[in-house]
Amino acid sequence: MEQSNVEEGIFTTIEDYERLGSGNHGDEYDSLSSNRFRLLQGSGMRMLEEKGLEHETVAKCFVSGLGSIGRDAQVVAVHKNWSSDSGKVGREEAFRIFSDAVATKCGGDANIKFGWYGAPVDDICQIVSHGFSRFNHKDMRSESLHGVGVSLCAARFSIDCVSSSAVDQNGLQHALLCRVILGKVEAIPAGSKQFYPSSSAFDTGVDSLFAPRKYIVWDAFMNSHIQPTYVVSFKAPQPKGAQMNMKSVNMVKPRSAWVSFPTLMLTLSRFLDPRKMSLIHKWHEDFIRNKIPRPQLINKVRHIAGDELLIAVIKNQRRKEVMQVA
């Protein structure tokens, strides 16, 4: 109960600040921006002043949810969704309408929370500009997931989105903070293939009714029940649970550094999270269609998977080939 009160207090502060500050002070912070945030700014995001209340509150919430790795984490920037294009205005109106509808259905409380969504910066920019789509989460089908939909991390568990926030060309990772209409929630077991409410009584899903860590918004509601609000750009070590156990791979010196790409992707899928594999599959399709050259494909895969993992996979594959010949 105490953690819940703290969470609600943090975002009450943010909402109070928004009401007091109106919406016209974003331009003052453009001078603080740099080329490394060009994608975010092109999506209608504006950098918040580093010492401002809104920046400090969002940054504090993010770092406090990182647990032990928070000591070595650095929030580089906080951006807010200032876009006024018709698509964003329409999604905001849909969010307001559904908030009212769910509140009426649930006795006056739409149960709106804040949740984190970690993704590569290109995906985040697409979400901010155009909303969520099947591409953002279409390959998320592991036994650790709870249902088929958009999965967000509860506000106090920002650590859960770090491993899915790919490092960009500037060495930064990014996490999207969203308002989420939860309404009446139901518990969805791990590995479930459920993709809609089990009955009209429910609106969304959670991994636990008593201490929810994940919020599951069904595809039909992903752009009416989720409102992207802030992007936190950060540097942080990977959580230990997301690190590959390199001892499980036999590091035998290979005779060749070549492995077929389908074999490589199949092996990488055992170690990388579904979002990263989705990106690799997309890049491979672009290569097959001659949209990108092979060197660019290789660089992108190295960027996501890391050289240590790739070397281990190649060596392990070569060891299997040697054993088969013997």
Side-chain angles (χ1 to χ4, degrees):
M1 183 65 68
E2 181 179 351
Q3 282 185 318
S4 178
N5 290 338
V6 170
E7 175 183 330
E8 293 300 324
I10 287 175
F11 291 108
T12 296
T13 301
I14 290 177
E15 291 175 349
D16 286 345
Y17 184 78
E18 286 180 309
R19 285 192 290 269
L20 290 172
S22 71
N24 57 13
H25 58 292
D27 291 333
E28 299 174 12
Y29 308 141
D30 281 355
S31 61
L32 301 175
S33 305
S34 65
N35 288 335
R36 59 182 173 175
F37 297 122
R38 185 175 296 171
L39 278 174
L40 289 172
Q41 292 164 357
S43 301
M45 306 296 291
R46 298 290 180 87
M47 183 183 289
L48 297 177
E49 184 180 22
E50 186 173 351
K51 295 182 179 180
L53 174 61
E54 202 168 6
H55 175 285
E56 290 185 356
T57 305
V58 175
K60 179 181 178 181
C61 178
F62 178 76
V63 174
S64 66
L66 294 179
S68 60
I69 70 171
R71 296 189 300 268
D72 300 314
Q74 176 190 2
V75 172
V76 178
V78 176
H79 286 77
K80 185 175 180 179
N81 191 354
W82 290 97
S83 176
S84 59
D85 66 78
S86 58
K88 177 179 180 291
V89 171
R91 289 189 295 274
E92 287 183 344
E93 180 65 9
F95 187 87
R96 185 192 65 77
I97 292 172
F98 274 88
S99 297
D100 293 342
V102 172
T104 300
K105 171 188 171 184
C106 297
D109 183 8
N111 192 18
I112 298 177
K113 300 291 185 182
F114 281 76
W116 297 100
Y117 185 86
V121 66
D122 288 340
D123 281 11
I124 286 179
C125 291
Q126 288 183 18
I127 291 168
V128 171
S129 297
H130 308 294
F132 284 88
S133 69
R134 289 294 302 148
F135 171 75
N136 298 129
H137 58 286
K138 64 182 179 181
D139 290 325
M140 296 175 65
R141 298 290 188 273
S142 77
E143 292 301 311
S144 64
L145 296 171
H146 300 255
V148 181
V150 180
S151 180
L152 301 102
C153 311
R156 62 181 180 273
F157 293 112
S158 54
I159 189 173
D160 291 349
C161 73
V162 171
S163 60
S164 56
S165 303
V167 179
D168 67 14
Q169 61 182 1
N170 298 302
L172 299 178
Q173 293 175 261
H174 309 272
L176 187 62
L177 181 59
C178 307
R179 290 184 173 88
V180 188
I181 303 171
L182 293 180
K184 179 69 173 178
V185 300
E186 60 180 312
I188 309 298
S192 171
K193 303 301 181 184
Q194 181 175 334
F195 56 90
Y196 53 81
S198 61
S199 78
S200 60
F202 300 108
D203 301 288
T204 59
V206 291
D207 58 337
S208 169
L209 291 175
F210 302 102
R213 190 167 182 137
K214 295 180 184 295
Y215 303 143
I216 299 91
V217 178
W218 310 117
D219 285 356
F221 305 123
M222 60 186 174
N223 286 316
S224 60
H225 285 46
I226 307 175
Q227 185 180 62
T229 307
Y230 300 96
V231 174
V232 174
S233 302
F234 65 95
K235 293 182 178 181
Q238 287 292 313
K240 290 184 178 179
Q243 298 286 347
M244 171 196 159
N245 182 5
M246 297 305 295
K247 294 181 180 179
S248 65
V249 181
N250 194 325
M251 304 291 283
V252 177
K253 184 176 180 179
R255 300 179 201 170
S256 170
W258 183 87
V259 174
S260 69
F261 211 85
T263 299
L264 178 63
M265 289 192 294
L266 177 63
T267 307
L268 288 177
S269 67
R270 301 170 187 169
F271 302 108
L272 298 179
D273 68 72
R275 290 194 188 94
K276 292 182 179 179
M277 287 308 305
S278 177
L279 279 176
I280 292 176
H281 279 287
K282 177 183 179 296
W283 292 331
H284 185 240
E285 290 175 2
D286 288 345
F287 167 70
I288 295 297
R289 296 171 182 171
N290 294 320
K291 291 183 178 180
I292 61 173
R294 184 178 180 84
Q296 185 176 352
L297 170 65
I298 293 173
N299 286 336
K300 286 180 176 293
V301 174
R302 289 180 64 187
H303 182 71
I304 286 291
D307 288 345
E308 185 179 14
L309 173 57
L310 289 174
I311 291 171
V313 168
I314 292 170
K315 288 183 177 180
N316 192 52
Q317 181 63 27
R318 185 57 187 169
R319 179 185 66 84
K320 290 180 181 180
E321 292 175 359
V322 171
M323 290 179 64
Q324 290 174 354
V325 172

